[in-house]
Amino acid sequence: MSLKLNVLIVEDDTIIGMDIVRIVEQSGCDVLSVVADYQDALQAIADNTINLLISDIRLGGKEDGIEIASKLQKRYGIPVIFLTAFQDDNTLERASDVDFIGYLVKPFREDELKVLIKLCIKKNSFQASGLTPICNGYQYRAECHTVYYEDQRISLTGNEKILLFMLINAKGNIVPYTLLDDEIWQGNFVSDTSRRQLLHRLKSKMPDLCLEVVKGQGYKLNISP
């Protein structure tokens, strides 16, 4: 049985955005939101699981779709489908820095986008068959950023997910405070109290998580072998 994906669309053309929504929904998926910039994308994802990003490359804001997709992929590890009216070498080279599953040139055919969405659905369905252990009975599914304890899903906020999956991806190494600040607080000044509060909220939901505070450096997660 295939999964129903949650899809975020980054598109600043209202008409094209509505058309993409229709195609996504006809493909059996849910649309979280249609946004035109990075901050709105973060807000849309904050309390939701995201499985796929469909993004136009050329946007009207200060960041284009490649920059937005790159940032979101680093935070959430999500697959990306690019839509663009441009196929010059520079655009293709920049897009290659993102792990995308498809690159469609506008005006694209409806069936082309549906095929890419179906490929993503199949990939998620295949990967969802197994859970990866963390420690002390906690497990996770990386492709949809969900965490479980004894088969019960644990509800985490957006920042709690980012913190946890940064720790998991570090594979037992220290995640320095500077990296946490860049990814969670976008490089803005953050106090030690704010970091401790976020860590406390995560530990209150996952009290047996093998977390270690490395004084003056950052946090690390002792993952089960």
Side-chain angles (χ1 to χ4, degrees), residues 16 19 83-87 104-110 112:
I16 295 176
D19 199 37
L83 309 174
T84 181
F86 301 88
Q87 50 183 328
L104 299 181
V105 178
K106 296 178 179 178
F108 59 86
R109 297 202 316 269
E110 184 174 315
E112 292 177 323

Side-chain angles (χ1 to χ4, degrees), residues 140-157:
Y140 76 102
R141 285 192 175 122
E143 75 282 352
C144 53
H145 282 61
T146 50
V147 184
Y148 300 83
Y149 180 72
E150 296 183 348
D151 298 326
Q152 297 296 314
R153 182 171 173 175
I154 300 172
S155 178
L156 300 177
T157 66

Side-chain angles (χ1 to χ4, degrees), residues 1 28 35 79 85 114 116 163 167 178 184 189 225:
M1 182 177 179
V35 300
K114 285 184 176 180
L116 291 177
L163 172 58
L167 290 166
T178 53
I184 298 176
F189 172 78

Side-chain angles (χ1 to χ4, degrees), residues 9-73:
I9 299 169
V10 179
E11 173 61 69
D12 60 356
D13 185 302
T14 303
I15 301 300
I16 295 176
M18 291 173 61
D19 199 37
I20 297 171
V21 169
R22 177 184 58 79
I23 294 171
V24 169
E25 292 178 342
Q26 286 180 354
S27 299
C29 300
D30 291 330
V31 175
L32 289 178
S33 185
V34 180
V35 300
D37 59 50
Y38 181 62
Q39 292 303 321
D40 285 346
L42 288 182
Q43 185 174 352
I45 296 171
D47 295 312
N48 296 284
T49 296
I50 179 172
N51 309 112
L52 173 63
L53 174 68
I54 299 176
S55 179
D56 188 7
I57 288 181
R58 198 63 62 93
L59 302 169
K62 63 179 182 178
E63 292 179 307
D64 67 11
I66 295 174
E67 294 171 296
I68 293 172
S70 178
K71 288 182 177 181
L72 292 177
Q73 194 169 75

Side-chain angles (χ1 to χ4, degrees), residues 2-3 5-7 20 23-24 26-29 51-55 78-84 99-106 108-125:
S2 62
L3 297 175
L5 304 186
N6 286 332
V7 181
I20 297 171
I23 294 171
V24 169
Q26 286 180 354
S27 299
C29 300
N51 309 112
L52 173 63
L53 174 68
I54 299 176
S55 179
I78 52 175
V80 176
I81 296 174
F82 280 128
L83 309 174
T84 181
D99 184 17
F100 64 88
I101 62 172
Y103 185 105
L104 299 181
V105 178
K106 296 178 179 178
F108 59 86
R109 297 202 316 269
E110 184 174 315
D111 61 318
E112 292 177 323
L113 181 54
K114 285 184 176 180
V115 166
L116 291 177
I117 294 171
K118 287 179 181 178
L119 284 173
C120 193
I121 291 172
K122 288 182 179 180
K123 181 179 179 182
N124 274 264
S125 298

